[in-house]
Amino acid sequence: MGATLALLFGAYYLGAALDDREGRKPLRMYQATVLGRGLLALLFCGLVAGGQCGAGLLLLAATNAVGAWRMAAALQSDGITWAL
């Protein structure tokens, strides 16, 4: 699980660096956050379904799914496209 989190955080920071290089707001980081949190929610559900972790992890899965959905809605309301 630690490696998965490290990979996701790396993708967030890479997106932020690309935006910073272009001198704009960290939109790629926000987009990567939506995708990463959605994937993390799925991973957590898979770990619980596979018996690798307790059902309490589903709370974190739900929190990440809601966070991803809210960020996606905020980006969409600002007219942000989904081209990473």
Side-chain angles (χ1 to χ4, degrees):
M1 187 174 322
T4 302
L5 291 173
L7 180 66
L8 291 175
F9 293 152
Y12 301 163
Y13 291 124
L14 178 61
L18 291 172
D19 286 325
D20 193 42
R21 183 182 66 178
E22 296 173 9
R24 63 183 197 161
K25 293 190 286 185
L27 298 177
R28 287 187 182 112
M29 183 179 133
Y30 299 153
Q31 292 168 332
T33 299
V34 171
L35 295 173
R37 291 185 83 174
L39 289 173
L40 192 59
L42 291 174
L43 173 70
F44 286 169
C45 289
L47 288 171
V48 172
Q52 300 296 314
C53 295
L57 195 60
L58 293 176
L59 180 60
L60 289 177
T63 302
N64 276 287
V66 169
W69 175 75
R70 300 254 338 215
M71 176 67 85
L75 289 171
Q76 187 175 19
S77 71
D78 284 345
I80 306 302
T81 60
W82 285 97
L84 293 174

